[in-house]
Amino acid sequence: MALTPLSDALERILSDVEATLDYDTVALEAASGRYCAATINATLSVPPADNSAMDGYAVASHNVPGTLAISQRVPAGHAPLPLEAGTAARIFTGAEIPAGADTVILQEDAEAGEGQVSLPAAQPGQHIRRQGNDIQPGDELVAAGQRLTPQDIGLLASVGLDAVPVFQSLSVAVLTTGDELREPGSGDLDPGQIFNSNRFTLAAQIRALGMTVIDCGNLPDDPDQIGEALERAAAEADCIVSAGGVSVGEEDHVKSQIEQRGALDLWKLAIKPGKPLAFGHVAGTPIFGLPGNPVSAFITFALVAKPWLIKRQGGRLVPTLRFPVRAAFSITRPGTREEFLRVCLAGSGEALRATLTGSQSSGVMTSLSEADGVAVIAPGTTVAEGDWVEVMLLSTL
Ligand code: AMP
Ligand code: MG
């Protein structure tokens, strides 16, 4: 089987994903991390009126320099009276500018006396935050499909909204396969066993996308049990993510069970780590059959399943940020697959360096856990120390 470039696989997988239309309107308090279901425009101005950026005196600029009577005191939250001609208003940060004043003079630059104040000359408009300077009615605040951040939530609150429509979270079933796998907490390992890590990594990756995990546990390498579990998962979930059992070995039953109970595309992706990847459906529910090696499972989830899930969730797909960093390593034998090397970053600016975190074997989790990002190396590339390589941060994967 020929190797499929990642970009080709992604194009195929993403071409016919339909975004969910189901949404709920939720309180802002519950909306962080959810995918906004509609574009939201402002209906009012922020600030709603001109207000002072400083503590000081609001005056008409043509009256200064000079000594002016203090005709009113305007703390934040209290409506001012129109400014009496030829006077100053004592004003505080966030307080509305009285009609008739066009500038604010810092209290540090003023000499206050009994009921009056001496003020220097001032530019019109200084230290005034203009009405609508941040937001004007009609401005787009968040777009449909945007994943709401804490700062977006604050932005929505700033125009007086207390609820927002968000897409209903996808339910994603996670199942792992392998006779050798033992659940953490279930006692000591017997000979031949290892602990199941993928179930935890994948569930955490799914939850980090704001989606709900349906934990289907681990299945032994038995075709019927795997097939039945896949059908149960298909009945409940919007998508299934499995790990293991998609290579060409005799004990790799996930692939054949997807084929029997639905339809399957199997790729050998031209990426390292992460070669075998199954995509298809079981009883109409899409499934990603990821490789079992822990780093391969993590990387293929991040690079392939995640974009699909975000698109299905109604989210906006934005290309993962890549930026150039100088390599503190070399590659003398070029690979045939696009490689994602685990690196940590140190230094800044031109001195920023990407250092390999250790063994790049697809079973080694320590070098993934230690990494800040992955350096993306195109097939056929050699790298000398000091060459520029492109890095993607794991926090964005
Ligand atoms: P497989 O894709 O099932 O052939 O598995 C490839 C390698 O990954 C084998 O060494 C498995 O033991 C290991 N592996 C598979 N699934 C898991 C898992 N859930 N947690 C940890 N290692 C796994
Ligand atoms: Mg296996």
Side-chain angles (χ1 to χ4, degrees):
M1 192 193 288
L3 294 180
T4 308
L6 176 63
S7 52
D8 291 4
L10 272 178
E11 212 179 291
R12 278 255 293 286
I13 286 176
L14 294 177
S15 62
D16 58 358
V17 193
E18 279 186 28
T20 180
L21 297 174
D22 301 331
Y23 71 92
D24 295 317
T25 297
V26 301
L28 279 194
E29 287 88 341
S32 190
R34 305 291 299 272
Y35 297 81
C36 196
T39 296
I40 298 181
N41 298 96
T43 55
L44 43 76
S45 301
V46 177
D50 291 358
N51 71 78
S52 182
M54 294 293 196
D55 291 346
Y57 296 86
V59 298
S61 54
H62 63 82
N63 286 327
V64 287
T67 299
L68 306 182
I70 300 169
S71 55
Q72 61 176 312
R73 190 170 180 278
V74 198
H78 296 266
L81 299 168
L83 186 65
E84 255 177 65
T87 69
R90 178 74 169 118
I91 199 162
F92 298 90
T93 304
E96 219 169 276
I97 304 292
D102 68 350
T103 192
V104 169
I105 296 167
L106 300 188
Q107 63 187 17
E108 294 87 328
D109 298 334
E111 224 173 281
E114 196 58 39
Q116 59 175 38
V117 61
S118 296
L119 297 165
Q123 291 294 321
Q126 80 181 13
H127 306 308
I128 293 178
R129 302 189 284 220
R130 289 286 174 209
Q131 173 185 39
N133 142 61
D134 184 358
I135 298 167
Q136 303 214 341
D139 283 357
E140 181 176 309
L141 299 176
V142 297
Q146 203 171 313
R147 189 165 186 208
L148 296 170
T149 60
Q151 51 274 34
D152 296 328
I153 303 296
L155 183 65
L156 294 173
S158 77
V159 298
L161 293 172
D162 67 343
V164 62
V166 296
F167 289 118
Q168 287 175 7
S169 298
L170 295 183
S171 293
V172 184
V174 174
L175 62 92
T176 57
T177 63
D179 285 342
E180 75 280 29
L181 298 177
R182 184 80 177 248
E183 292 310 311
S186 70
D188 294 337
L189 295 175
D190 292 326
Q193 295 184 326
I194 59 170
F195 285 117
N196 185 350
S197 63
N198 289 341
R199 191 164 75 79
F200 293 86
T201 316
L202 291 169
Q205 284 177 290
I206 291 162
R207 290 196 185 100
L209 296 176
M211 298 168 191
T212 304
V213 171
I214 300 175
D215 184 353
C216 300
N218 183 59
L219 279 300
D221 289 311
D222 171 77
D224 292 335
Q225 290 192 52
I226 290 176
E228 282 154 24
L230 288 176
E231 294 214 5
R232 279 196 304 275
E236 257 192 279
D238 297 304
C239 178
I240 305 168
V241 174
S242 73
V246 291
S247 307
V248 287
E250 279 167 27
E251 297 291 342
D252 293 318
H253 304 298
V254 173
K255 199 178 52 178
S256 58
Q257 287 303 310
I258 299 174
E259 248 160 359
Q260 275 184 34
R261 295 165 196 261
L264 172 79
D265 261 342
L266 182 75
W267 290 304
K268 283 196 171 152
L269 290 180
I271 62 173
K272 190 179 173 189
K275 196 152 66 173
L277 180 108
F279 177 65
H281 68 85
V282 173
T285 300
I287 177 166
F288 288 89
L290 308 180
N293 270 309
V295 182
S296 305
F298 174 87
I299 290 283
T300 49
F301 179 89
L303 297 178
V304 185
K306 178 180 158 184
W308 187 96
L309 287 167
I310 290 175
K311 194 168 173 197
R312 177 84 183 100
Q313 178 65 90
R316 284 189 163 190
L317 279 183
V318 283
T320 306
L321 182 69
R322 293 181 179 207
F323 53 93
V325 180
R326 290 194 185 278
F329 58 88
S330 61
I331 301 175
T332 47
R333 279 188 304 145
T336 53
R337 297 185 266 162
E338 186 177 22
E339 279 201 59
F340 298 87
L341 299 175
R342 285 150 258 173
V343 295
C344 60
L345 302 177
S348 63
E350 288 268 319
L352 186 62
R353 287 282 185 283
T355 307
L356 297 181
T357 49
S359 163
Q360 298 292 315
S361 157
S362 59
V364 171
M365 282 296 272
T366 45
S367 58
L368 181 63
S369 171
E370 261 178 51
D372 298 311
V374 288
V376 186
I377 312 292
T381 312
T382 56
V383 174
E385 252 182 66
D387 283 357
W388 291 106
V389 291
E390 284 208 329
V391 169
M392 297 192 289
L393 292 175
L394 287 186
S395 58
T396 62
L397 281 180

